[in-house]
DNA sequence: TTGTATGCGTTATCAA
DNA sequence: TTGATAACGCATACAA
């Protein structure tokens, strides 16, 4: 039932070409016809049909976003950032989950292809070779956010997890901590797991502190991981004075167990978290943590992608700086 | 460069009509041609063009979601739920922010109209008359999630905030609390503010407890609101034994100030939160709180919408049950 | 400044 | 079982 430019043309007594020109204000018509066309368009409640426009222009003004199943709760600010940036540039965002462990990623990519999105953003999903091939074969500009691959030709924006972890542990060492545990990282996760563990280890090595593998408690970045890690530390009677946590939630888990056992943070044990998530400033004490600029990652990534779409340029990967947000969970040892 | 059904037809030596039939497996062709067509399609790397399909079918298999600027961080699970449900039913999700205070909502609605989405989901945005009109005039099925209007013809799914608040306060009363404060609700928010305040008041009245307006500390559901409220309670020397918090974050704010002042939760003061957000179980003590089934709201709402799209039926509003999640922030008084 | 005509990639109707 | 062909709503090259 919706009115088309044909309808407008008929009523206004002009051709569809003229209507199209006016609607898109391309100029080249006198004021009178413009007014008439606009008036009729309004009267008829005209709304342009993006599908038709996309078909002829071969561009959908749409950006496809693929994110892991937990992204909205966890990386929400990335979504916010990229949605804002795309909105401001006249792009719409179409969103799909990659499913648990990326099991839906092929379907997602396929969908993006059929929808002819102008660009693709992949958030925090680990891509294997087959998936990279599928992505590249779409021949659509793309960028990875908070993840990367081992190939050179897949542009990304992310924090350097290794050096962020290094910074965090280094800060603990600067505060004279010498027996430092690590908790919550998943050693099977090549994106967020091993680099953080390695950063932790490297910081110790660089300060000639012996690395004790018993002090590394693996996990899955969760609150529960933190609880479990701390319980083990206690059981082990580990002589730690500080723990580097692979996520803020893990840090909160540790705090929780400490509280139960009358261990004071930071007096008895110091903590550095990772993410600067909303929970980090609500804990007791507020958590010193590594900040990843999620919102900026989203907006910047989106902007880069749009630039690449419009200028057909290649996107350079960038390592976005992390920041140590100092709150009150680390005590300076004398 | 992408191959079209025409290309396939040419190469395979059949008409576009046949190609289309095979691609959509509509039947009515012999196995041989099917094989040939499929082979050529694969060889050419054919991907169907959704824009073209949408144009002729007058349906985009797309659901538009409009959410407030904080939705992804706060109502993330709603997004998860509706994305899952739409995916399973072959719909894509297109996402936009309504902007701060819904300032972008008209543009968002316009966008949904131009994109010819098959249905619209509006999450937690307060709609005024003009916006309702704009929404209705699109003539696209829609549903509101975690919000409602004062009109009958705008279907929604939400928790009954009044009765949820009532439940929370009632629980405190059952535990023999008699001087109960309230914190964090915005009295200007007709969706999440006043109903919770009114539920609080009603629960008191029903138990013949005097309502003291000084015990109601307004706010904006934030952590800061909680801190401020508690600071005021302390300054007022309010004889409260419990506080009903309009959000979990507000509850955490209160805990934080209590801790600073050596006030024990729940020994000195009991707390009930609202939302059952991830922070609620990470606090010390874990927060007793009112749970809103966000994921289910998203999936259920999406399902209802899809049903309405496909069967052209009207959607019934439903009040989804809330639940009191009992943890450890309430002490039973003797 | 305006109009005519064509094509974008599909689906769908009709006829063969 | 297949093919020709007309839409779908729009943008645009070309002509007037």
């Amino acid at each position: 039932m919706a009115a088309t430019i044909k309808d407008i043309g008929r009523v206004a007594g002009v051709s569809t070409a003229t209507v199209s020109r006016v609607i898109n204000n391309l100029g080249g018509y006198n004021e009178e016809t413009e007014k008439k066309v606009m008036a009729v368009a309004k009267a008829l409640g005209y709304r342009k049909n993006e599908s038709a426009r996309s078909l002829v222009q071969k561009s959908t003004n749409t950006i496809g976003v693929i994110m892991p199943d937990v992204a909205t709760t966890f990386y929400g600010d990335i979504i916010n950032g990229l949605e804002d940036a795309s909105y401001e540039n006249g792009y719409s965002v179409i969103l799909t989950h990659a499913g648990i462990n990326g099991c839906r990623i092929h379907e997602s990519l396929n969908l993006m292809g059929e929808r002819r999105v102008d660009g693709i953003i992949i958030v925090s999903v680990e891509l294997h070779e087959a998936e990279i091939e599928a992505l590249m074969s779409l021949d659509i500009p793309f960028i990875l956010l908070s993840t990367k691959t081992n190939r050179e030709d897949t542009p990304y924006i992310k924090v350097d997890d290794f050096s962020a972890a290094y910074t965090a542990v280094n800060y603990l060492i600067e505060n004279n901590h010498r027996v430092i545990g690590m908790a919550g990282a998943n050693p099977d996760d090549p994106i967020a797991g091993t680099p953080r563990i390695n950063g932790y280890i490297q910081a110790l090595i660089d300060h000639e502190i012996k690395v004790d593998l018993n002090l590394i408690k693996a996990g899955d970045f969760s609150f529960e991981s933190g609880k479990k890690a701390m319980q083990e530390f206690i059981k082990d009677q580990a002589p730690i004075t500080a723990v580097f946590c692979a996520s803020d939630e893990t840090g909160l888990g540790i705090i929780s167990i400490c509280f139960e056992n009358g261990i004071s943070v930071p007096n008895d044990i110091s903590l550095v978290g990772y993410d600067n998530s909303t929970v980090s400033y609500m804990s007791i004490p507020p958590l010193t943590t590594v900040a990843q600029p999620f919102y900026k990652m989203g907006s910047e990534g989106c902007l880069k992608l749009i630039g690449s779409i419009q200028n057909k340029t290649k996107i350079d990967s960038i390592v976005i700086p992390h920041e140590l947000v100092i709150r009150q969970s680390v005590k300076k040892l004398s």
Side-chain angles (χ1 to χ4, degrees), chain A:
Chain A
M1 276 312 125
T4 72
I5 55 171
K6 247 186 214 163
D7 299 323
I8 298 180
R10 194 168 347 102
V11 175
V14 297
S15 73
T16 61
T18 299
V19 176
S20 176
R21 283 188 271 259
V22 173
I23 296 286
N24 298 303
N25 57 78
L26 298 178
Y29 39 76
N30 70 38
E31 217 168 299
E32 212 170 318
T33 50
E34 175 179 5
K35 270 183 194 155
K36 195 165 46 182
V37 169
M38 291 306 276
V40 174
K42 183 162 292 178
L44 263 43
Y46 172 76
R47 250 175 292 126
K48 80 159 145 249
N49 185 319
E50 260 293 318
S51 297
R53 214 231 70 223
S54 295
L55 183 57
V56 45
Q57 301 221 93
K58 295 178 177 314
S59 135
T60 52
N61 290 338
T62 300
I63 288 174
V65 175
I66 302 179
M67 55 178 198
D69 57 330
V70 294
T72 35
T73 37
F74 201 62
Y75 295 124
D77 266 343
I78 292 189
I79 313 286
N80 281 335
L82 63 87
E83 206 281 327
D84 282 350
S86 59
Y87 174 81
E88 276 157 24
N89 289 273
Y91 285 81
S92 296
V93 168
I94 175 162
L95 199 70
T96 83
H97 283 190
I100 316 283
N101 292 326
C103 62
R104 254 163 53 179
I105 187 134
H106 275 103
E107 290 92 321
S108 292
L109 286 172
N110 194 38
L111 187 103
M112 298 305 176
E114 296 187 349
R115 299 243 168 215
R116 297 292 195 273
V117 297
D118 293 341
I120 297 179
I121 296 179
I122 297 185
V123 179
S124 197
V125 176
E126 194 189 332
L127 294 180
H128 306 102
E129 195 58 33
E131 288 140 13
I132 300 175
E133 286 304 331
L135 173 56
M136 308 271 285
S137 76
L138 288 180
D139 202 30
I140 296 174
F142 66 91
I143 188 169
L144 313 181
L145 259 35
S146 193
T147 183
K148 61 180 285 195
T149 73
N150 46 19
R151 290 171 52 154
E152 289 292 324
D153 51 354
T154 55
Y156 62 84
I157 298 187
K158 77 184 290 293
V159 158
D160 178 349
D161 285 58
F162 174 88
S163 90
Y166 190 99
T167 302
V169 176
N170 193 56
Y171 176 74
L172 287 169
I173 296 172
E174 279 173 6
N175 281 273
N176 298 321
H177 291 274
R178 287 297 174 271
V179 187
I180 301 171
M182 165 141 194
N186 177 358
D188 296 329
D189 179 342
I191 308 297
T194 46
R196 296 184 196 172
I197 296 173
N198 291 336
Y200 156 85
I201 290 175
Q202 192 62 47
L204 296 185
I205 290 174
D206 286 357
H207 292 82
E208 292 166 0
I209 298 174
K210 208 181 120 223
V211 175
D212 180 352
L213 293 183
N214 292 317
L215 262 34
I216 303 180
K217 305 296 184 191
D220 59 359
F221 309 96
S222 68
F223 181 72
E224 284 303 323
S225 290
K227 287 174 73 168
K228 222 174 101 204
M230 192 62 212
Q231 279 158 345
E232 289 180 24
F233 283 134
I234 292 174
K235 201 183 67 199
D236 298 350
Q237 297 190 302
I240 51 172
T241 63
V243 179
F244 168 51
C245 312
S247 83
D248 290 334
E249 307 213 349
T250 297
L252 283 258
I254 290 184
I255 291 179
S256 153
I257 295 298
C258 284
F259 186 81
E260 276 179 19
N261 289 272
I263 300 170
S264 161
V265 178
N267 289 325
D268 301 326
I269 193 162
S270 291
L271 253 35
V272 177
Y274 200 108
D275 283 338
N276 192 32
S277 56
T278 53
V279 299
S280 65
Y281 64 85
M282 298 194 288
S283 63
I284 300 170
L287 210 57
T288 290
T289 186
V290 175
Q292 301 198 62
F294 286 133
Y295 183 91
K296 194 174 173 192
M297 242 189 236
S299 59
E300 199 110 324
C302 191
L303 252 28
K304 284 208 156 229
L305 181 65
I306 290 173
S308 161
I309 292 168
Q310 296 177 341
N311 312 318
K312 301 185 187 302
T313 55
K314 256 171 67 178
I315 303 178
D316 298 322
S317 295
I318 60 178
V319 171
I320 202 165
H322 60 267
E323 191 192 345
L324 190 66
V325 178
I326 296 179
R327 298 209 180 88
Q328 300 159 40
S329 61
V330 175
K331 181 186 180 186
K332 189 175 182 88
L333 262 35
S334 53

